[in-house]
Amino acid sequence: PARRLENPIEGLAFRYYEDDWKRLWLALDDLTPASTGACAGLFDLSVIPASNPPLGEATAPRRHYFGMVFEGWLRVPEDGVYTFHAPRELVYPDTEAGYDLQLWINGAQWYPATRLHAFGNWSVPLAKGAHRVK
């Protein structure tokens, strides 16, 4: 089911973490964010502080290991079954992703790296309206 939002705000809230990669991967919920705020969209790496600069020309990798959590609302235009697709590097074994990805919708979790969900696809019935996404 969807939720009705009175005054929705555009964008996503984010939490940015820096720590050892093992702690970021296994114990993120136990860590304190290094920064928080709002960003324009998913995977917005412009919110990474200048104290963690890129190691080359690309936006990643960075000098320090980091993790990010994005949260907000997904507007669904009509009732239906919606399919989410994992990036190729999380599905095929010929590429190392270099990151972990998890998706929650209304509290239900999808973890595409396990390859248990239809080889990188997750179909979810959603009602028209707003759905919590993390």
Side-chain angles (χ1 to χ4, degrees):
R3 304 244 332 249
R4 184 182 166 131
L5 301 178
E6 291 301 320
N7 296 310
I9 298 171
E10 293 293 324
L12 294 169
F14 77 88
R15 293 188 309 272
Y16 171 83
Y17 301 84
E18 277 186 24
D19 209 306
D20 177 72
W21 71 267
K22 290 177 199 163
R23 288 178 45 84
L24 290 166
W25 185 42
L26 298 171
L28 187 66
D29 292 337
D30 297 334
L31 301 176
T32 301
S35 66
T36 61
C39 60
L42 193 58
F43 299 119
D44 181 359
L45 300 183
S46 69
V47 299
I48 297 175
S51 61
N52 192 6
L55 293 177
E57 297 296 319
T59 57
R62 297 288 176 139
R63 180 176 295 158
H64 307 288
Y65 295 112
F66 69 95
M68 298 184 77
V69 175
F70 297 95
E71 292 188 71
W73 295 92
L74 173 67
R75 277 184 261 164
V76 172
E78 60 185 57
D79 292 356
V81 176
Y82 290 82
T83 301
F84 298 87
H85 305 278
R88 183 185 191 289
E89 62 269 17
L90 289 175
V91 179
Y92 293 96
D94 62 346
T95 305
E96 177 60 42
Y99 66 93
D100 190 29
L101 176 67
Q102 298 175 43
L103 173 65
W104 284 265
I105 297 180
N106 295 333
Q109 181 186 16
W110 177 43
Y111 188 39
T114 63
R115 295 186 176 90
L116 296 177
H117 292 283
F119 295 103
N121 298 302
W122 185 38
S123 295
V124 183
L126 299 173
K128 178 180 179 177
H131 296 269
R132 190 86 178 136
V133 64
K134 175 180 171 186

